Amino acid sequence: MVSVLPLGPYHPALPEPVWYQLHLEGETIASVEITTGYTHRGVETLLAQRGIEEGLKLAERLCGSAAHHHRLALCLVLEGLAEVKPPPRARALRSLFCEVERLLSHLAWAAQLARAAERPRAFYVAIEAHEHLLEKMEQATGHRLLWGLPVPGGIASAPDCAPVEQALQQMSAALDQLEQQLVHNREMQRRTRALATITTDQARQLKLTGPVARASGLNDDARREYLYDAYADLNLTERASSVAGDTHARIAARLGEMREGIELATQLIEQLPDGPLAQPFPDLLPSGEAEASLEGPQGRETWQARGDGSARPASVTITTASQRNLAAVPLALEGNKLSDALLILASLDICVACVDK
């Protein structure tokens, strides 16, 4: 006998509104239906109706966990249209804040996953580290969130990197505890190994991206593929990809990326060049089309824009990482126990705001 359990759209266990309709055979999830759209805002349409300054503010508010990345993506695609390259100092600071935002997003993810796994110590470690980093970002920029840093042609102002560097130096101890609680803990290993496995072939077929794809053995990283901004100047070491593709691999992959993010951010601060913050940017966008991809916290974010000689883009198309990774949800849930559903969903880290736009 099949029973139906509606999870959402609003539920204390879900960080954002989405409706998962779970079809159960006993305690096993037989199939999943997903309904999104509860946070749809029409961002693509609005961007084509606004000038660049207002468009940047809108892009930054598309998603709370990748605000800087989306604002930067709009800058990159507009710079592609106008054939403007930011100066080295601006590119380095933009990339530095990408890595800081990735850390913030992954710490928030770690807290969500620890709550789903009923690991209170890991939850509080992640929350405290997240709050500490936010406090340092407020010292560096004057804002906890929505830093407003990238503009077409460079950056709006130079942040104080000293608080950021201090926060990075203090992050390793928190990561040690998170790894011990979420990766090396035997109880967690028993629960997460071979749970909700996504094979390499399945990840490739579904065109998954980011940590979810890399945990299944795909070498998918826009920082390495496109070398945008300062990533062309960094020492991007080869990553040892996991091929397990299970919940344990996804947890380990994301925590490993947090350590890599600290190393990259430290490199950027140590090698920060002098020079101007921005290049002049034209008031009118040239006619033509451009595309830019970057590596957000959840994976590849792709923006496409068309210019028609006016002061605003004629059209904007956004394909987010979570749009791509949403296809993994039914595959990961089906055949597993209802009691593991929240843990599996947390390991996938789907940003519903990015799906709905």
Side-chain angles (χ1 to χ4, degrees), residues 188-204:
M188 276 294 290
Q189 288 183 359
R190 284 194 295 269
R191 185 174 180 187
T192 58
R193 287 193 187 277
L195 175 65
T197 299
I198 301 173
T199 67
T200 303
D201 288 340
Q202 289 170 330
R204 185 179 293 110

Side-chain angles (χ1 to χ4, degrees), residues 221-236:
D221 192 329
R223 292 172 294 181
R224 289 166 167 79
E225 183 173 347
Y226 295 99
L227 298 175
Y228 56 91
D229 275 352
Y231 290 108
D233 306 319
L234 289 176
N235 178 24
L236 297 174

Side-chain angles (χ1 to χ4, degrees), residues 41-58:
R41 292 142 290 162
V43 172
E44 294 167 317
T45 300
L46 292 172
L47 284 169
Q49 299 172 354
R50 302 188 179 188
I52 292 176
E53 184 175 351
E54 290 301 313
L56 290 171
K57 295 177 182 178
L58 179 60

